[in-house]
Every structure is written in C-alpha cells, then in structure tokens.
Amino acid sequence: MLTRTQLEEFEKQRLAPYAARAELSKGRKLEEEQAGFRTEFQRDRDRIVHSSAFRRLEYKTQVFVNHEGDHYRTRLTHSLEVSQIARTVARTLGLNEDLTEALVLSHDLGHTPFGHAGERVMSELMKEHGGFEHNKQSLRIVDELEQRYPNFSGLNLTFEVREGIVKHSGSWKPENVPQELIPNEKPYLEAQLIDVVDEIAYNNHDVDDGIASRMLSFEEMEACELWRNSLKEMKEKFPGKNTAQLKYATISRMITVLVSDLIDQTSRNLKKHSIETPQDARTCDEPLISFSSEIAKQNQELKRFLKKNLYSHFRVIRMEEKAKRILSDLFKSYINRSEQLPIEFQEKIQKGDKYRVICDYIAGMTDRFALDEYKKLFDPHTKV
C-alpha cells in the first residue's frame, strides 16, 4: 500500500531535476490537510475530473456542433486525446505526469459553447465590460464558480495548476495573469508543454473529422508533406487496406512523427540551455518545448491547410455564424431583462457585475443548452 509520502519519494527518484514535484508545491490559497494516498497534483486532477465544468465539455463544440454527428470530437474527447499525448511526452522527458494531466484536463474548461466562434463573439460582447478570454475564464471557474465544497468556493487548486491554467498557451499575456501567479515568469515545463501537444491533437483529429465529414479528401490532403509522407509509409506497410484503415493508420503515423520529434528536439533544447531546475525553465528566454525546424515547417503547413480548407469551409462558417447569432441574442436579451435568468443568477447580479454574471452563465452553457435556451426565448411555439 503506497502512501502519499512514498509517492512523493518516487517522484524524487524518478523525475528529472527540472520537473515540478508535488512535495515542493507552493500550496493552495486555503491550506488543507493533505491526502493520505494522493499527491497534491493527483488531488487537483481528481477535483477537475469531478467538476461540473469538466462534465459540460462533453457537449461543447470542438469544430462540429454536437448535433452534427455522434462521432465528431467534442471538447471532452479532445481533452482526453491531448491528455494521452501529453502524458507520453511528460513521462519520456521525466516531467510530472500528474501535474501535466491536471493541466490538460482543465485547459478548456473556460471555453464557451460553439467553439472558437463562441469565444470571439463573447470577447466582442464583453469588450467594454472587462473582456473575455477562455484561459482567464478557466481560472475563474476553478477559483470561484465551481461550488462543490462546504468551506470554500472553487476547487482550491495548487499554485502550479492555477498558474498553468492561465499561462499554458504560447500567447499568454502578463496582464491576464493575477499578481499572485507571477506574471513576469514562464510557467513550469509541464505547463509549457500543453500548448504544443494540444496543437498535435487538434490538428490530427481535425483531419480525421474533416475527412469523415467529407469536407476534406485524401487527394486534397496530398498538399501537406506530413500527410503525404505518412500515407506513403502506410501504403507500403499495409498494402491493399481500405480507405478508412489507411486514414487511421496515416493519422497515427503523423502523431508519432510529431511526438517523437517534439521529444527529441525538446531534449536538445534542455541540454543546450543547461536546464537543471524548474526555475531554470521559468526564466529561460528561448522556447524549450519545440519541434525541429523541419517538422515545425511541416506542422505549420498542415495548420495553414486546415485553416483554408476546413475551418473556412462553408459548412463550418454557417455553424459559426449561427453560433454568433444565438449567443449575441441570448446575451442582449438577458442584459435587457435579467429577470429571465434563473433565480440564483438574478441573486448574483444583485451582489455583483451584471455583465460578468451573464457572461459566466452563457460561457458555462453547453451547445445544446444554448440552443434550448434560444428556442425558449425566441420561438413562440416552444414552452418556456
């Protein structure tokens, strides 16, 4: 039977010297008695998995709205796929898997319904009222909005997880980081990893969903060197296989190429910059988690292809425009008469910022809940 102390000792023996260790965590905002059989980062991961916001990811859009089909990725399945890749990379590099997993599973909690289109419209609607950014919203969820424990609001997560939530994106800005989370420093390597493995996951599963939806074809994908090389390998390795089998094999190969290169190049970066402690990684000016120049070029080519041929496809644009109308109309209707909101949100408005409360309400919706709300407010034939 392994105790928390023994698990912490395993971390000390097994992890690389530049990895974050649960035993050395900067702690929680509200001090709690430590668990007997889980490290602090394992405890954080479990709290995230049991949160309401995490469950709602099941019905939040990745690219395709949920009712478009049962087999397309959602925010939840996307998070699980990122987690699988992230843990592999973290384990190989000697990073803390538990911290990495907690960060991956929380990295999309703050997303609105209807994917990035929803975030763009919410940012526009909140422009004059404090703005909206999904990483800040994720932190708000785990710090305040989740109500699961009798003695505090939020999930009371460790410093390392909270910091990683707002800093995991490569485009994070110090002004979006609370002072207590050290805006002038990079996060731990485990958090720096998230943005890159997130990209590996969504590029490749969007290829899968794009082909499944017939918005993309094998022939069009030939424009991408990463796909072209991987498909050639799979055809040679598995001659005579059908299109579906080749698709999955090719995507699997692309992920392997990207992950292997990421591990190799990151190892070289860590040695080049003499990264020997977590603090070394936090203060290094150069990117440490990266692809080699050749694979980075191929990955960028794939991203540009998807932006042009999938994310700009007329069917995706239609979904985005529909999402904008739905969220804009809901927001304006609630602002004009907040008495339409559930009682608990009306009570929150009495105590705080009306715009922020309504933003929290809409951002927390799933796609199908937003669609149902829209019908209740605007379809005269739908019961309220």
Side-chain angles (χ1 to χ4, degrees):
M1 186 171 67
L2 298 177
T3 65
R4 172 183 50 77
T5 304
Q6 288 172 309
L7 292 172
E8 291 172 346
E9 184 61 31
F10 286 165
E11 285 189 353
K12 190 184 300 184
Q13 296 170 5
R14 181 175 54 84
L15 298 183
Y18 46 70
R21 282 170 40 204
E23 183 183 18
L24 303 179
S25 169
K26 297 181 189 295
R28 307 176 187 277
K29 293 178 79 172
L30 179 66
E31 189 174 345
E32 297 182 59
E33 183 180 349
Q34 292 188 317
F37 305 102
R38 293 176 295 169
T39 68
E40 292 297 272
F41 298 151
Q42 289 172 341
R43 197 178 191 184
D44 281 358
R45 175 203 59 208
D46 296 348
R47 287 184 175 185
I48 290 160
V49 168
H50 288 284
S51 68
S52 300
F54 183 74
R55 290 196 299 278
R56 289 197 297 270
L57 295 179
E58 181 178 5
Y59 294 105
K60 287 195 173 188
T61 295
Q62 185 62 29
V63 173
F64 297 91
V65 177
N66 183 256
H67 63 244
E68 293 287 330
D70 292 341
H71 297 287
Y72 297 128
R73 268 70 174 190
T74 65
R75 287 281 174 199
L76 179 61
T77 59
H78 163 70
S79 295
L80 295 176
E81 291 185 34
V82 181
S83 177
Q84 175 262 318
I85 296 171
R87 289 178 58 199
T88 297
V89 177
R91 186 184 310 122
T92 307
L93 292 173
L95 296 174
N96 194 307
E97 279 188 66
D98 296 323
L99 174 57
T100 301
E101 187 174 27
L103 290 170
V104 169
L105 296 179
S106 61
H107 87 285
D108 272 354
L109 293 181
H111 269 293
T112 65
F114 308 121
H116 290 289
E119 180 172 10
R120 285 192 291 271
V121 71
M122 190 58 67
S123 298
E124 182 63 28
L125 291 166
M126 290 295 292
K127 186 167 59 176
E128 305 298 326
H129 308 283
F132 179 86
E133 197 274 329
H134 79 268
N135 292 327
K136 286 180 67 176
Q137 187 69 11
S138 294
L139 184 64
R140 183 168 167 78
I141 286 168
V142 301
D143 275 359
E144 300 179 41
L145 300 183
E146 281 287 328
Q147 298 291 325
R148 303 188 61 80
Y149 301 96
N151 53 336
F152 54 79
S153 294
L155 303 180
N156 196 33
L157 303 180
T158 58
F159 169 93
E160 292 76 12
V161 174
R162 295 177 61 242
E163 181 196 46
I165 286 173
V166 286
K167 292 184 184 178
H168 76 268
S169 170
S171 58
W172 70 273
K173 298 176 182 178
E175 57 265 32
N176 286 333
V177 179
Q179 201 61 38
E180 65 192 272
L181 297 179
I182 318 179
N184 62 335
E185 283 190 0
K186 290 183 177 181
Y188 289 87
L189 278 170
E190 287 81 357
Q192 294 182 39
L193 171 67
I194 304 305
D195 201 38
V196 186
V197 293
D198 184 29
E199 188 173 295
I200 292 174
Y202 69 65
N203 280 347
N204 285 278
H205 66 48
D206 288 353
V207 170
D208 187 2
D209 286 350
I211 293 173
S213 67
R214 298 183 180 177
M215 294 187 196
L216 300 177
S217 68
F218 271 44
E219 291 71 28
E220 289 173 311
M221 288 299 305
E222 287 283 334
C224 300
E225 184 177 359
L226 185 59
W227 168 273
R228 194 166 59 245
N229 293 343
S230 299
L231 178 61
K232 183 174 181 291
E233 280 188 54
M234 294 305 100
K235 282 182 174 178
E236 292 173 353
K237 188 174 182 179
F238 304 110
K241 295 301 178 182
N242 64 39
T243 302
Q245 292 169 322
L246 275 177
K247 178 186 74 168
Y248 294 127
T250 301
I251 292 170
S252 177
R253 178 58 187 160
M254 289 199 299
I255 293 173
T256 299
V257 169
L258 291 166
V259 169
S260 299
D261 183 83
L262 178 66
I263 291 169
D264 291 342
Q265 183 61 44
T266 299
S267 297
R268 288 192 288 270
N269 295 342
L270 294 170
K271 291 175 183 176
K272 175 184 175 182
H273 295 287
S274 302
I275 304 300
E276 297 178 355
T277 70
Q279 192 61 26
D280 289 342
R282 291 172 65 84
T283 55
C284 181
D285 292 333
E286 298 294 321
L288 296 172
I289 309 288
S290 71
F291 299 115
S292 66
S293 58
E294 177 56 32
I295 294 300
K297 177 183 168 186
Q298 293 182 25
N299 188 59
Q300 283 299 314
E301 180 183 56
L302 177 61
K303 285 182 68 175
R304 289 193 298 269
F305 173 87
L306 289 170
K307 183 176 181 180
K308 178 182 177 182
N309 295 282
L310 180 62
Y311 309 140
S312 298
H313 193 282
F314 79 91
R315 286 170 57 194
V316 174
I317 298 299
R318 283 181 177 181
M319 286 187 281
E320 288 187 354
E321 290 303 312
K322 192 186 299 185
K324 290 177 186 177
R325 288 192 294 273
I326 291 169
L327 296 189
S328 295
D329 289 349
L330 287 176
F331 187 87
K332 291 169 186 174
S333 183
Y334 296 142
I335 289 294
N336 289 337
R337 192 163 187 187
S338 59
E339 291 84 357
Q340 297 177 95
L341 291 165
I343 296 298
E344 62 267 31
F345 285 91
Q346 294 183 43
E347 291 173 350
K348 286 182 179 181
I349 287 174
Q350 299 303 317
K351 302 174 186 176
D353 180 349
K354 177 180 181 179
Y355 282 86
R356 184 58 58 187
V357 171
I358 290 172
C359 174
D360 288 339
Y361 182 57
I362 294 176
M365 292 179 177
T366 62
D367 296 0
R368 64 180 185 178
F369 186 86
L371 290 166
D372 286 345
E373 278 289 278
Y374 188 84
K375 288 178 183 177
K376 289 176 182 177
L377 293 185
F378 299 104
D379 182 352
H381 300 291
T382 299
K383 292 183 179 180
V384 298

